[in-house]
Amino acid sequence: MSNISLDAAEEIIAAAQKRARAIGKAVSVAVVDAGGFVVAVRRPDGARPLTPDIARAKAYTAAVMQRPGKMLKKWQESQPVFFSQLSQLPGAAMPIMATDGSVTIKKDGEIIGGLGIAGGTADEDQTIADEVLESLGYELEFAAWGVAGTPSAKES
């Protein structure tokens, strides 16, 4: 299994914070490796105090669940008890957050990490994450859970 490098993580973070500044937001950005371990986290001046922890949980979710948080929402809604228990498993390092701004980092068909953005609205966090990863050449398509075949279009 490959993991995202520190240089790549810092490139993603710099691009995300630049994009956030362009829309007038101070967002915290976290990048974790494929196992959910922190590679880098940045909280800029003006970002709220809890945003680094939220960004880390979002990044962790995207990496260990191997799907963007946005794709996990319906599953979480249909099985809330299951999802609440995931965060309490002995090996769970962070809460599982099926939410916007939680995006799996995939390159050449391989999951190499997770990205979490926190500090804007849900839509802003998601848009920043998607735009930055796409602009840097990462893949944003993932097969739906439990469905064989080609990746689905970006799910809402």
Side-chain angles (χ1 to χ4, degrees):
M1 168 183 358
S2 295
N3 282 309
I4 191 160
S5 69
L6 177 59
D7 287 344
E10 288 178 343
E11 179 181 41
I12 290 169
I13 289 170
Q17 290 188 329
K18 180 178 179 182
R19 176 70 179 100
R21 281 191 306 275
I23 62 170
K25 298 291 178 171
V27 301
S28 289
V29 182
V31 175
V32 301
D33 67 17
F37 295 98
V38 172
V39 176
V41 179
R42 295 285 185 279
R43 177 181 167 254
D45 293 343
R48 293 184 308 276
L50 279 178
T51 58
D53 290 333
I54 296 167
R56 283 179 45 227
K58 288 180 176 186
Y60 174 81
T61 298
V64 301
M65 296 299 287
Q66 300 186 337
R67 294 294 184 278
K70 191 173 187 174
M71 285 185 78
L72 302 173
K73 282 182 179 182
K74 289 181 184 172
W75 185 13
Q76 182 183 39
E77 290 167 2
S78 70
Q79 296 184 0
V81 174
F82 172 76
F83 264 81
S84 69
Q85 295 302 309
L86 281 177
S87 299
Q88 297 178 30
L89 290 172
M94 298 288 300
I96 300 295
M97 295 183 69
T99 189
D100 292 332
S102 166
V103 182
T104 308
I105 303 172
K106 186 166 82 167
K107 187 82 163 181
D108 300 324
E110 188 174 4
I111 293 169
I112 60 171
L115 169 63
I117 309 274
T121 65
D123 286 341
E124 290 166 339
D125 291 351
Q126 186 67 42
T127 298
I128 292 166
D130 287 343
E131 288 178 359
V132 165
L133 290 181
E134 185 172 32
S135 74
L136 295 174
Y138 295 95
E139 299 164 37
L140 296 177
E141 302 295 324
F142 295 86
W145 280 104
V147 176
T150 59
S152 63
K154 295 177 195 168
E155 295 197 7
S156 52

